[in-house]
Amino acid sequence: MAQPATILLVDDEQDIIKLMEIYFGNEGYRVLTASDGIEALEQLKREPIDLIILDVMMPNMDGIEACMKIREEQKMPIIMLSAKSMDIDKITGLSIGADDYVTKPFNPLELVARAKSQLRRYHTFNEGREQKEHEWVIDDLVINTDTHEVWVDEQPVRLTPREFAVLELLARHQGSVLSMEQIYRQVWKEEFMESNNTVMVHIRKIREKIEIDSKHPKFIQTVWGVGYKMIKP
């Protein structure tokens, strides 16, 4: 028999914790709790966690900082909870590594449904999906070098041939910084001029298509004064 998924609930409001424990427990999930980010990180050291529901506003260590620390080593789905409903707050949460964002007050049944969806996507797409020789899988970004197709969060992304070539080059050198000259020479096969901003323009267009917030990119990072690099999971 398959083991039930373990969900870590992180919130300093005990009424919310108790309510969520009931709903997730009724669905057969194993539930662990923490009252702040520090406790959550300690739980992660002791227990295998399948999904985290993480409140933003907490004492000692808030959800934003906790999410960033979790993402340094862990890939399980994270759903952020917050009383803030502004778009910029949602963008901040998603851009630092959260997979979903739910505004308080929330419908417990909706939260359970979102958690189920994230768990299903994580296990079927990130773990169960076999990476092929001609594919690069970087978190929820998939680059197929055979078909020249790109997906982000299972949604297709349309890139021009040049944009795809730049993205593929960065993916093949994950974690390494490539200068604009290196990128230009390999993609355009021409001599690079210092005043040429072609690479910069293409990077901006790629980010607009694959990033949640192109001003705070997750996949393609700028190393000031040096060049660009693709994150390495």
Side-chain angles (χ1 to χ4, degrees):
M1 180 180 295
Q3 293 294 317
T6 299
I7 295 178
L8 175 60
L9 308 176
V10 189
D11 200 310
D12 61 325
E13 296 184 53
Q14 287 305 304
D15 289 344
I16 291 180
I17 286 288
K18 291 177 181 178
L19 179 66
M20 291 193 294
E21 278 186 299
I22 293 172
Y23 276 88
F24 282 103
N26 288 341
E27 292 293 325
Y29 293 107
R30 177 171 176 256
V31 179
L32 301 176
T33 65
S35 60
D36 60 39
I38 295 175
E39 286 187 19
L41 294 175
E42 288 299 319
Q43 287 277 30
L44 283 168
K45 293 178 182 178
R46 297 192 297 264
E47 301 275 358
I49 306 295
D50 296 290
L51 179 140
I52 301 174
I53 296 176
L54 186 62
D55 186 38
V56 171
M57 301 298 292
M58 295 182 295
N60 301 320
M61 181 187 290
D62 65 25
I64 297 296
E65 185 178 355
C67 183
M68 293 173 68
K69 288 184 177 296
I70 292 168
R71 278 293 177 253
E72 290 176 2
E73 298 181 357
Q74 306 276 1
K75 294 183 179 181
M76 79 285 285
I78 297 176
I79 300 177
M80 303 290 287
L81 296 179
S82 178
K84 298 180 179 181
S85 60
M86 297 293 290
D87 287 343
I88 187 62
D89 298 312
K90 296 179 182 179
I91 289 172
T92 299
L94 295 171
S95 65
I96 62 168
D99 298 277
D100 201 355
Y101 188 105
V102 176
T103 304
K104 294 181 177 180
F106 56 85
N107 183 328
L109 292 175
E110 179 186 353
L111 183 59
V112 170
R114 286 174 180 255
K116 286 182 177 180
S117 175
Q118 289 296 332
L119 285 168
R120 183 168 58 250
R121 185 182 70 84
Y122 178 70
H123 289 300
T124 60
F125 185 70
N126 290 328
E127 289 185 343
R129 191 180 193 278
E130 180 182 355
Q131 183 172 347
K132 303 171 184 176
E133 288 186 11
H134 52 267
E135 280 188 348
W136 293 95
V137 180
I138 305 163
D139 284 350
D140 53 1
L141 170 67
V142 179
I143 304 164
N144 189 308
T145 58
D146 188 24
T147 63
H148 280 219
E149 293 176 302
V150 175
W151 298 269
V152 175
D153 196 18
E154 301 183 72
Q155 299 300 312
V157 176
R158 290 189 177 183
L159 298 180
T160 67
R162 293 284 196 198
E163 290 168 356
F164 184 89
V166 172
L167 185 64
E168 180 185 355
L169 178 64
L170 291 170
R172 290 186 182 278
H173 295 82
Q174 291 173 55
S176 299
V177 182
L178 299 180
S179 68
M180 287 196 291
E181 181 177 356
Q182 288 175 306
I183 296 171
Y184 190 84
R185 284 176 179 271
Q186 293 198 49
V187 174
W188 278 266
K189 311 296 183 185
E190 297 175 1
E191 289 297 317
F192 178 76
M193 303 292 291
E194 288 294 332
S195 59
N196 192 333
N197 65 351
T198 302
V199 172
M200 188 184 304
V201 171
H202 278 70
I203 293 290
R204 175 175 56 79
K205 290 181 177 179
I206 294 168
R207 282 173 169 166
E208 289 173 352
K209 295 178 180 181
I210 69 171
E211 303 282 2
I212 293 174
D213 179 6
S214 60
K215 293 183 179 179
H216 300 88
K218 169 184 174 182
F219 298 112
I220 302 176
Q221 298 176 344
T222 300
V223 180
W224 296 108
V226 184
Y228 302 96
K229 72 174 181 178
M230 175 73 74
I231 63 164
K232 187 172 184 179

